[in-house]
Structure formats: structure tokens, C-alpha cells
Amino acid sequence: MQTVLLWLFYISSFYAFIPGIITRFFGYRVFRRGTVEGEFALTFDDGPDPVYTPQLLDLLKRYNMKATFFVVGSHAESHPEIIKRIHDEGHLIGIHNYVHKSNWLMRPKTVRMQLKRTDDIIFGITGERPVYYRPPWGIVNLFDFAKNSGYRIILWSSMYGDWRSSVGADKLTHRMRRKLRAGEVMLLHDCGNTMGADVQAPEQMLLALDRVLSEAEREGLRSVRIDEMITHERMSSSMKLSLPKRMAVAVWLLWEKLFHVVFRLKTANPSDPMLHYRLTSYQGQDMVTQDGLRLVKGDEVLELHFDNQKLFDIGRHARNEMQIAIQMIRAVQKDLPTIAQRVLDKPEYRNVKGLYGVTMITRGPEQFGFHLQDLPSGLFASSTRVYLKLLLSVIHPKGQSRLKEGSRRMEPRMLMMPVEVLISRYAPRELRSRRSSVETGLGELSVGSTAKELSS
């Protein structure tokens, strides 16, 4: 008998107690707190309630705050109109089991059935599948960690005993104000019909929440949905740089400023710099572009250089590489017309044959009118390869991982745009006739090339 009890103890510990400990104390595979300034998360369990949830939605709308509702499936099934309103007003809906029962007391199959049934109910009302799950009382079992469960477990960083009416609005207000700060995930209840709760307890919660939201508004804090908090958390983490990388970036950007001064680079748009350029003579090997233009040593060209500070800032603050791409495309499309205008207006650019550049990432420049060509082998190609790889590892948001995507794709290549292409595509129509007979040439474009390249 003692052996049986001992085995039952081991099994229950492995199934429930140990998973509970590692989630509460170590946060393993759960989300329970944010760190982004200016926002916290209101989360509500056990609803919807036909009396208190509509009042709560009115309160949130008055303060323009968003929340996450972890609903009990049977309650959602009984009040689909409230679930629809929660969804329509921009709040997030998660699962809190079909019945409010501890996962410790159910087999894995039973838990999965509860999740699926609640999932189907929410989908049938809103047309969207829930992604987030909070088990009742925050109690998890071993199988809640399964990667194929399909749900992200959300716990909390503070709770206040609001399921008991005896706490009262004043004490509840005091407790909530003490925890009103950025990153907090607040656990509250909009229904008192579950075991251990008082039916009228949400009335006191609503009184306290009204006061707390008023204070949050004064302090510049806003409540966001859990999915927003998680997204902002990832963005914030991606923007945090180690001390060595911060030092590397600082040194690199200082070098770029010196480079601009020494080589007298001009800027297409000084108020929002992206493209820099300078007049120089071509010093490479003789070559012929794809459209037949011959370029020989001594021909006048414009070098184009991207502003690496701008690239770095875009990479840090964009949510993903597609946003980087969009911002770079817009910047290039804005600056090339300015350069075309100056080529037409400035007498010193009369003999320029075109734009010339070298880039490490070579997918996308064609959309702007550039041609791509392999660098002649030699010292210049080798040194350029080292330089651009180092630069890419510093300014690109993926850093070194971007360099491991294939040696052929990451080889430096020359970019060329004939002047006639620059004028025909980017100069104002009424000015294009000025250079209708100008020969075409080249110009330099540094790493990053176009926004399309970075997104590829």
C-alpha cells in the first residue's frame, strides 16, 4: 500500500506539482510579465457574465483601454452576444477551459477536449481561433507544455483577491494602485459564478478599476492586449544591443562621419538623409554594361552611398524585415529624383556618365534601374568583401546570421545605372530633354542597396 501511495505521489508530482513550480518561479514556456514602458495588461477571467461584463466593456471604452478576456467555454456558449461585443470592440479573447476546473484533476485528453470545445465556440462567434490560454487558477500539468498544443500559456504578475466581495472597492483600489506600473499583467475577474468566488464580487472590482484607470490615464499608462504586449516585448528585445555591439556601432558611425568629411560627400536630402553622393572618376577595369554602354578608366561617375545611421535606425525599430524594405524603398524613391534634378542643374555634372556602386546583397536593385555585374577578381574585390561583410554584421538586424545564407548570394557585386536611365525615370518630365543625348555610366551604392534587398 505504501509503495502504491509513493508511486502516486511521484506521478502526481511529475504531472502537476513540478510543472506548476517551474512556471511560477522560472516562467518556463509561459508569459506573465512585460517590460515595455508606458503599458500594462488588464486580463479578466471566468466570464462572460451577463450583468458585469457589459459594464466592464463600457468602462474600458470610456478610457479607451484594451484588455484580454480568458473566457469559460460554457459561459461563452450561453452568452454569444457578449463574446461578439468583446471581439467587435477590439479586445482579445483567450481560453479558460470549457468548465472552470483544475487541470490537475483532469486527464490530458479531457483538457484537450475542453480546449477544443471552447476554441470551436469562440471561432463560431468571432470567426477567429484563439491563440492564448490561461488554465484555471493558473495550474498547469505536464501536457500543457506540449509544443503541439497550439496555445500560448498566459499567467499574471499580480492578483488582488477581487473574487471576494469582502475585500471591498477601497482595499482593492489600494492593492491595484500599488501594482500600477509598466509591464504589469493584472489578473481580475468579471464573473463571480465559479467555485470559491462571490457572485457580486465584480461590482466592487468595477468600482476600483474605474479609479485605477483614471490614475493610469493621468500617469500616461495604457492597457494593451496580451498579444500586443508580447509583440512589443519582442520588438524591445530586438532593439537591445550588447555593450560590444553598441561600441562597434558607435565606432563605425564615427568613421562614416569622417569619411563624409574627407571625401566631401553631398546629401540628397539633408533633413532626412538616406543617399549621399560624390563626383569622381572611374578607376576600375574597362567594362560594358548590359545595355551596351562602355565604361573606361577616367570616365566621370557619381558614387552613391547609403546613410548607415539611417539603415541602422530602420533596422532597430522596424518590426520585421518587410517594414525595413518598405521604408528603404520609400527613401530611395524620394532621393533619386533629387539627384536626377541636380545632375541636370549643376554644370559640373555635365559629363557624368552615370551612377556606380558596390553591394553585398544583390536582390532588388533592378527595380530602381540598376544593372548588376560581377566584380573583377583581385585585391579590390577581396577587400570589399571583407569590408561589406563587417558592415552588414553591424547594421543589419539579423547580424551574423544574415551572412550564413549562402556564399553566392553574399558576394559583393557592382551596381550601375546609366545617366539616361536616371533622367528618364526620375527627372521631372519638363527637364528630361536637357540630357536626352547624354552617355550613360555608373555610381556607387553601399551595403544594403535597396529595401527590397534587406527583406530578401
Side-chain angles (χ1 to χ4, degrees):
M1 184 63 178
Q2 289 181 341
T3 302
V4 173
L5 291 175
L6 186 61
W7 273 107
L8 287 174
F9 172 77
Y10 287 150
I11 292 171
S12 63
S13 296
F14 185 67
Y15 179 69
F17 181 71
I18 294 176
I21 292 295
I22 63 176
T23 56
R24 291 301 181 88
F25 289 95
F26 301 102
Y28 177 71
R29 297 203 63 185
V30 301
F31 182 81
R32 57 180 182 174
R33 188 180 193 83
T35 59
V36 178
E37 291 298 319
E39 64 185 36
F40 64 102
L42 288 171
T43 66
F44 297 93
D45 289 5
D46 300 355
D49 182 274
V51 175
Y52 297 113
T53 305
Q55 295 180 40
L56 172 58
L57 291 170
D58 291 341
L59 180 62
L60 294 172
K61 182 185 292 186
R62 176 149 54 91
Y63 286 99
N64 192 28
M65 301 285 187
K66 299 303 179 185
T68 302
F69 291 79
F70 292 99
V71 302
V72 174
S74 58
H75 296 171
E77 195 172 35
S78 299
H79 306 288
E81 73 286 352
I82 301 179
I83 296 296
K84 186 175 187 306
R85 182 182 170 186
I86 292 172
H87 177 264
D88 290 347
E89 294 185 5
H91 304 288
L92 182 66
I93 300 175
I95 297 176
H96 202 48
N97 283 0
Y98 181 76
V99 294
H100 198 277
K101 186 176 181 180
S102 170
N103 288 6
W104 285 9
L105 304 177
M106 295 186 289
R107 295 178 300 164
K109 181 179 179 180
T110 305
V111 175
R112 287 196 296 270
M113 290 175 59
Q114 293 236 0
L115 287 167
K116 185 180 186 308
R117 187 171 181 181
T118 306
D119 188 309
D120 290 342
I121 291 168
I122 295 170
F123 177 74
I125 299 170
T126 68
E128 292 185 9
R129 293 285 182 187
V131 175
Y132 301 96
Y133 172 52
R134 176 176 286 165
W137 295 289
I139 295 174
V140 298
N141 63 43
L142 180 64
F143 294 94
D144 288 327
F145 291 144
K147 291 184 178 181
N148 61 1
S149 66
Y151 303 101
R152 177 74 184 272
I153 298 175
I154 307 297
L155 297 183
W156 58 86
S157 57
S158 58
M159 62 179 178
Y160 315 99
D162 66 307
W163 57 88
R164 298 192 302 270
S165 297
S166 58
V167 173
D170 292 340
K171 186 178 292 186
L172 189 55
T173 301
H174 175 70
R175 291 177 179 178
M176 292 176 66
R177 280 175 173 166
R178 288 177 55 195
K179 296 290 187 178
L180 182 61
R181 56 197 173 201
E184 204 72 24
V185 177
M186 296 183 168
L187 169 61
L188 296 165
H189 300 79
D190 58 326
C191 179
N193 290 328
T194 55
M195 185 179 68
D198 298 329
V199 174
Q200 296 180 334
E203 183 176 342
Q204 303 299 311
M205 181 275 293
L206 289 170
L207 291 173
L209 183 61
D210 192 352
R211 303 168 187 169
V212 172
L213 291 183
S214 178
E215 183 169 332
E217 196 172 54
R218 289 193 300 271
E219 295 183 6
L221 292 169
R222 66 188 186 99
S223 174
V224 299
R225 298 163 29 142
I226 281 293
D227 57 345
E228 292 181 64
M229 177 172 277
I230 292 173
T231 298
H232 298 167
E233 190 78 7
R234 289 171 180 164
M235 290 172 57
S236 176
S237 297
S238 67
M239 290 167 60
K240 295 176 182 176
L241 301 177
S242 64
L243 179 60
K245 186 155 189 176
R246 289 202 303 271
M247 294 175 63
V249 170
V251 170
W252 205 282
L253 296 178
L254 177 60
W255 155 250
E256 178 166 279
K257 290 181 180 179
L258 293 173
F259 180 88
H260 286 191
V261 172
V262 170
F263 291 95
R264 299 180 181 180
L265 266 64
K266 301 182 185 300
T267 304
N269 182 10
S271 63
D272 185 22
M274 172 57 86
L275 290 177
H276 306 279
Y277 64 95
R278 70 166 180 150
L279 177 66
T280 188
S281 59
Y282 177 68
Q283 298 299 318
Q285 298 180 6
D286 294 357
M287 65 174 59
V288 179
T289 66
Q290 292 177 354
D291 53 9
L293 174 68
R294 181 177 176 81
L295 190 70
V296 300
K297 187 174 181 178
D299 284 341
E300 289 190 359
V301 294
L302 287 183
E303 287 182 357
L304 293 180
H305 298 262
F306 267 108
D307 188 283
N308 289 326
Q309 175 72 65
K310 180 81 169 182
L311 293 180
F312 179 70
D313 290 341
I314 290 175
R316 286 192 66 200
H317 294 93
R319 294 186 179 182
N320 50 51
E321 292 193 357
M322 183 54 66
Q323 284 196 353
I324 297 174
I326 292 170
Q327 291 185 58
M328 291 189 65
I329 287 172
R330 290 174 178 170
V332 171
Q333 289 175 334
K334 178 182 67 177
D335 283 1
L336 284 176
T338 301
I339 295 174
Q341 176 91 40
R342 292 178 185 175
V343 167
L344 292 174
D345 291 342
K346 301 291 184 180
E348 61 266 33
Y349 298 149
R350 184 180 297 114
N351 296 321
V352 167
K353 284 192 154 186
L355 313 179
Y356 161 79
V358 179
T359 183
M360 178 67 71
I361 314 170
T362 54
R363 292 181 59 185
E366 296 92 342
Q367 68 175 305
F368 296 118
F370 289 97
H371 299 303
L372 291 171
Q373 190 154 328
D374 291 337
L375 279 175
S377 59
L379 180 61
F380 177 75
S382 300
S383 59
T384 299
R385 185 180 299 109
V386 173
Y387 172 82
L388 291 181
K389 283 187 176 182
L390 183 58
L391 177 59
L392 184 63
S393 70
V394 172
I395 68 170
H396 196 281
K398 284 189 176 180
Q400 291 289 336
S401 64
R402 187 66 174 90
L403 300 176
K404 300 177 181 178
E405 297 183 3
S407 58
R408 176 59 183 170
R409 289 181 59 189
M410 302 306 294
E411 284 296 310
R413 303 183 73 190
M414 287 188 294
L415 299 173
M416 300 167 284
M417 180 190 293
V419 160
E420 63 181 13
V421 174
L422 175 71
I423 301 304
S424 65
R425 291 186 62 158
Y426 298 105
R429 182 170 299 177
E430 63 274 12
L431 301 179
R432 292 175 187 172
S433 60
R434 293 187 189 179
R435 293 291 297 259
S436 59
S437 62
V438 174
E439 293 182 354
T440 59
L442 315 171
E444 180 190 349
L445 190 65
S446 70
V447 69
S449 292
T450 70
K452 184 68 173 180
E453 291 181 295
L454 277 180
S455 70
S456 63

